[in-house]
Amino acid sequence: MKKTIRNEKIRNIAIIAHVDHGKTTLVDAMFRQSGLFRPGLEVDERIMDSMDLERERGITIAAKNCSVQWNGVKINIIDTPGHADFGGEVERALSMADGAILLVDASEGPLPQTRFVLKKTFEKGLKVVVVINKIDRKDARPDQILDEIYDLFIDLDADGAQLDFPYLYAIGREGIAKKTLAEKRDNLHLLFETILDEIPAPEYDLEEPFQMLVSDLGYSDYLGRLAIGRISNGKAEFHDSMVCINDKGEHLPLKISKLQVYDGMILREVEAAEPGDIVVLSGIEDVKIGDTICTREHPKPLKRITVDEPTISMEFTINTSPLSGKEGKIVQSGKIRERLIKETLKNVAIRFEQTEDRERFIVKGRGEFQMAILIETMRREGFELSVGRPKVIYKHLNGTILEPIETLFVDCDEHFLGVVTEKLSIRKGRLTNLVNNQSGRIRAEFSIPSRALIGYRDEFLTDTKGTGIMNTLFAGYEPFRGDFPTRFTGSIVSDRQGNSVAYALYHLEPRGRLFIVPGEPIYAGMIVGEHNKTVDISANPSKEKKLTNMRASGKDESTVCSPVQPMTLERAINFIKDDEMVEVTPQSIRLFKKTLSVKKRHLMQPSKNSH
Ligand SMILES: Nc1nc2c(ncn2[C@@H]2O[C@H](COP(=O)(O)OP(=O)(O)OP(=O)(O)O)[C@@H](O)[C@H]2O)c(=O)[nH]1
Ligand SMILES: [Mg+2]
């Protein structure tokens, strides 16, 4: 017989929101006010954004656990990323939570990722506490935003109980939460109390033995693989013998060699852990996210974590450029393969496929930004590799090709609507909604193929003079809408190996936008710039001025090149066409044609944007 009770000493919450709505900053304030840091201690901002790339970019990439204590209750917190490409992290995080804090920016209101994360919490049946954050913003409109949140709940088919959601107003950065806008408060006590009152304590069955779903993996040099998850039932003790049930239904024996729980930002070793707590358990190497760890006597698997399918795929190969092996420490296909497989273990939204060619791999994920972060991480670890253009993943149903479609939300000055609409309609986008609230800015919604948006963001920012805001939400698969060019310009391609010189680059400048500066190594097939016209052109960027033309010594003023915008990884992968690749090394990002020789390229048909 089921005998369920709740562990009132614990709460498990995920903090969810659209990107930048202030999740990680709120966690800082919760740390400070729960007495985690001694008064006066200088602490970095956004302390949970501990990865180098997170700090540099000011965004959260991976969901992370921590905990605070409030009135004798331990609140396990999972800070999640708000960027759509890392949506898989939110789905994983929610598998450890009993409720969610939904942050909504008091000026921006609910945005596409707010909808995505809220939908996921509803699917899991989790209780939601709404926090209207950043009410200190000059353009804050908290009352309107509250209405918009109600509308979103209704839109997502919230039932009566869900519609009666508790809500607070907050200035996360100053650590303030209050019930009404008028009241004066200078702390987050109300938030802590609301969490304790509204988020249900974890429920478990007294009769059931130990059971835990693995929601995250870690690694320690001393302990090896770490399995992280919330204990669904039962107790775990140091040295207990358990089994891990994997996706094939196999029972792999394990003995708990260490048991740790989150204590603030750090892990603390414990002898035993209680049902409902989130633990970090070591003692098994061969464990995957979604596996169940349970007792040998009563092995019962829990439902595996399901996440949305990937929509983007990208080719990863060894670096095949003539300059390969000069800048990176790790260049072998075996090592790249190993690294990519390791990524799939930690990152539930990433898939790996080996192709027939031993040196070519397909990596699938949620978006090109997620791919760029993975590649950037690898290059910092010393890898050298080449990657192709991100492609959307098509599906076939009864002879029809289906493609991923996004809802694109555009917020821009009404003067720019014309150019934006025109660009999007060339890319098979359809305007589905338009709101003009006479403020000079409009909000438009488009239904558009995902493939149309690869590389579009830059163009959108240029077209709206940097003032437009665009957000996307995956809408589902629909019949293929037909071909359109992915880029309306060609490439300027070097026809030989050497070093670029100012004289040659100066004379190439009128042809387009250059990617390189004088003195850079070049090779035949390397793309040195974007051509103004649709076709590719060959050029010799190492061409010197003939000595006979040199009249007097001294600097030739006419060969001072214009500044070049440094090529970033994101720009590169968004720029290339199907017959082009990006060479990535710890020091350089270069673009090249898959077929390096100009003669061979001419023999081949001009490549079409295939699917
Ligand atoms: N005005 C104002 N700004 C805030 C507040 N809280 C956070 N911010 C700012 O909002 C920006 C984003 O904050 P983060 O805490 O990184 O947001 P996030 O939701 O964790 O972002 P992602 O994890 O990348 O989705 C930062 O520049 C913060 O300083 C607030 O209460 N008021
Ligand atoms: Mg964050």
Side-chain angles (χ1 to χ4, degrees):
M1 213 185 66
K2 258 182 141 22
K3 264 202 187 150
T4 54
I5 56 164
R6 292 183 186 277
N7 184 349
E8 291 293 342
K9 285 185 289 182
I10 292 174
R11 298 290 185 280
N12 298 312
I13 55 158
I15 306 204
I16 55 172
H18 186 82
V19 67
D20 259 3
H21 281 192
K23 299 173 287 296
T24 310
T25 307
L26 179 69
V27 177
D28 282 351
M30 292 174 82
F31 275 155
R32 276 198 305 273
Q33 294 191 25
S34 62
L36 206 62
F37 309 132
R38 77 180 148 72
L41 185 74
E42 285 278 323
V43 190
D44 277 347
E45 271 182 20
R46 296 184 296 108
I47 195 161
M48 289 300 283
D49 282 348
S50 50
M51 292 156 55
D52 284 350
L53 275 175
E54 291 182 323
R55 299 212 72 80
E56 280 168 33
R57 294 182 180 242
I59 57 157
T60 305
I61 293 168
K64 285 178 233 68
N65 292 71
C66 58
S67 81
V68 296
Q69 295 277 346
W70 190 257
N71 282 348
V73 177
K74 176 181 186 181
I75 306 173
N76 281 309
I77 304 171
I78 312 137
D79 180 28
T80 67
H83 192 288
D85 281 18
F86 308 121
E89 289 291 293
V90 179
E91 297 179 72
R92 186 173 69 63
L94 290 175
S95 69
M96 285 180 262
D98 299 298
I101 307 286
L102 177 74
L103 290 197
V104 184
D105 183 301
S107 160
E108 295 183 0
L111 285 173
Q113 197 64 5
T114 319
R115 170 184 284 266
F116 172 86
V117 294
L118 185 61
K119 188 160 164 265
K120 293 290 168 195
T121 50
F122 283 175
E123 283 167 11
K124 291 228 154 17
L126 300 184
K127 178 85 188 237
V128 179
V129 171
V130 170
V131 174
I132 300 176
N133 195 27
K134 306 197 192 181
I135 54 167
D136 60 316
R137 277 183 67 153
K138 279 203 196 69
D139 51 356
R141 40 189 188 104
D143 295 328
Q144 252 171 302
I145 300 299
L146 183 59
D147 287 344
E148 288 180 21
I149 299 170
Y150 270 115
D151 291 345
L152 177 62
F153 271 63
I154 291 169
D155 230 28
L156 290 174
D157 289 333
D159 59 28
Q162 284 168 324
L163 275 178
D164 199 17
F165 57 84
Y167 64 89
L168 299 174
Y169 297 100
I171 310 172
R173 200 159 56 186
E174 290 168 27
I176 297 174
K178 45 194 187 177
K179 184 71 211 147
T180 63
L181 287 165
E183 77 181 297
K184 290 233 174 315
R185 279 191 184 256
D186 58 4
N187 56 41
L188 286 176
H189 296 188
L190 201 59
L191 174 66
F192 289 120
E193 283 158 22
T194 310
I195 292 170
L196 264 45
D197 293 345
E198 300 284 351
I199 304 287
E203 194 182 53
Y204 64 101
D205 191 329
L206 267 178
E207 308 280 299
E208 290 286 331
F210 180 81
Q211 221 183 3
M212 170 185 126
L213 182 70
V214 179
S215 300
D216 195 4
L217 296 178
Y219 184 81
S220 139
D221 284 340
Y222 302 107
L223 303 166
R225 176 85 42 222
L226 308 170
I228 303 163
R230 183 189 50 174
I231 302 177
S232 297
N233 287 305
K235 247 185 152 161
E237 282 183 35
F238 172 59
H239 274 344
D240 274 352
S241 293
M242 302 274 175
V243 286
C244 173
I245 307 180
N246 66 16
D247 51 352
K248 298 187 195 80
E250 293 160 348
H251 294 193
L252 312 172
L254 78 110
K255 191 168 182 139
I256 301 178
S257 60
K258 194 163 186 166
L259 204 54
Q260 302 176 89
V261 294
Y262 290 94
D263 188 351
M265 289 209 48
I266 56 163
L267 288 174
R268 184 167 51 85
E269 188 173 354
V270 286
E271 284 287 316
E274 295 181 30
D277 205 355
I278 295 177
V279 293
V280 180
L281 182 155
S282 26
I284 183 161
E285 277 305 305
D286 197 10
V287 54
K288 293 203 179 68
I289 293 179
D291 291 355
T292 298
I293 295 178
C294 49
T295 63
R296 291 182 185 187
E297 297 75 28
H298 301 279
K300 266 198 225 163
L302 292 158
K303 193 167 168 289
R304 293 190 77 85
I305 298 175
T306 50
V307 300
D308 289 350
E309 292 288 311
T311 51
I312 288 272
S313 89
M314 230 168 126
E315 180 183 342
F316 283 49
T317 70
I318 53 163
N319 185 7
T320 48
S321 110
L323 298 177
S324 71
K326 295 206 168 98
E327 296 172 353
K329 287 199 309 271
I330 316 169
V331 295
Q332 308 90 330
S333 62
K335 289 274 195 286
I336 297 174
R337 179 173 191 278
E338 214 173 87
R339 177 63 183 81
L340 292 173
I341 291 175
K342 197 173 124 205
E343 188 66 23
T344 61
L345 287 180
K346 267 209 63 90
N347 197 330
V348 286
I350 287 200
R351 310 274 162 85
F352 165 88
E353 278 170 28
Q354 171 78 59
T355 67
E356 281 164 16
D357 179 348
R358 224 168 38 88
E359 295 177 337
R360 225 180 115 243
F361 315 108
I362 302 293
V363 180
K364 296 181 176 174
R366 291 282 178 88
E368 63 274 22
F369 185 54
Q370 184 187 32
M371 295 290 170
I373 293 291
L374 169 62
I375 300 162
E376 182 64 39
T377 310
M378 288 177 70
R379 90 187 259 240
R380 286 176 186 214
E381 291 166 0
F383 280 90
E384 242 187 56
L385 67 157
S386 300
V387 296
R389 180 182 167 77
K391 291 184 184 163
V392 301
I393 298 171
Y394 293 92
K395 281 186 181 174
H396 298 264
L397 185 75
N398 306 329
T400 315
I401 303 172
L402 304 178
E403 67 169 327
I405 300 285
E406 314 266 335
T407 308
L408 169 68
F409 301 80
V410 168
D411 181 331
C412 71
D413 192 296
E414 57 190 348
H415 299 303
F416 302 129
L417 181 65
V419 59
V420 170
T421 311
E422 187 193 326
K423 293 261 173 93
L424 293 174
S425 61
I426 298 173
R427 293 169 163 85
K428 312 282 179 194
R430 297 177 192 141
L431 183 68
T432 52
N433 195 11
L434 182 65
V435 182
N436 188 343
N437 48 21
Q438 308 304 325
S439 64
R441 281 182 88 84
I442 52 98
R443 283 183 170 215
E445 270 176 47
F446 295 85
S447 156
I448 188 160
S450 305
R451 71 197 146 103
L453 297 172
I454 298 173
Y456 174 68
R457 191 176 292 270
D458 254 8
E459 213 169 307
F460 172 78
L461 284 175
T462 311
D463 289 344
T464 59
K465 308 244 182 306
T467 63
I469 301 167
M470 65 175 260
N471 278 295
T472 57
L473 183 67
F474 176 58
Y477 274 83
E478 284 181 25
F480 181 64
R481 292 198 187 165
D483 278 323
F484 52 83
T486 50
R487 194 174 91 211
F488 298 86
T489 55
S491 299
I492 305 174
V493 187
S494 169
D495 63 0
R496 70 197 68 198
Q497 184 135 4
N499 274 299
S500 57
V501 297
Y503 176 77
L505 296 184
Y506 178 79
H507 285 96
L508 277 174
E509 274 182 12
R511 312 296 295 268
R513 198 164 50 123
L514 296 186
F515 300 153
I516 61 165
V517 293
E520 286 194 42
I522 50 164
Y523 51 84
M526 179 169 150
I527 301 166
V528 298
E530 177 175 13
H531 187 206
N532 288 334
K533 303 204 173 123
T534 50
V535 289
D536 292 348
I537 49 161
S538 287
N540 173 11
S542 60
K543 188 173 170 189
E544 302 269 6
K545 188 173 186 176
K546 290 223 177 63
L547 281 173
T548 48
N549 291 345
M550 200 87 81
R551 291 196 157 186
S553 61
K555 203 167 172 215
D556 187 346
E557 287 303 323
S558 66
T559 56
V560 176
C561 296
S562 308
V564 165
Q565 197 187 350
M567 181 49 78
T568 63
L569 187 56
E570 277 136 286
R571 243 182 90 211
I573 61 179
N574 280 314
F575 175 81
I576 53 172
K577 291 185 180 176
D578 286 341
D579 65 337
E580 299 171 344
M581 291 196 85
V582 183
E583 170 189 3
V584 185
T585 80
Q587 274 125 56
S588 318
I589 309 257
R590 301 187 195 95
L591 286 65
F592 63 95
K593 299 300 278 188
K594 278 186 183 166
T595 310
L596 294 177
S597 138
V598 60
K599 274 201 200 116
K600 282 197 191 140
R601 280 203 306 278
H602 280 313
L603 290 175
M604 297 182 346
Q605 289 281 40
S607 77
K608 282 182 77 182
N609 297 301
S610 55
H611 52 267

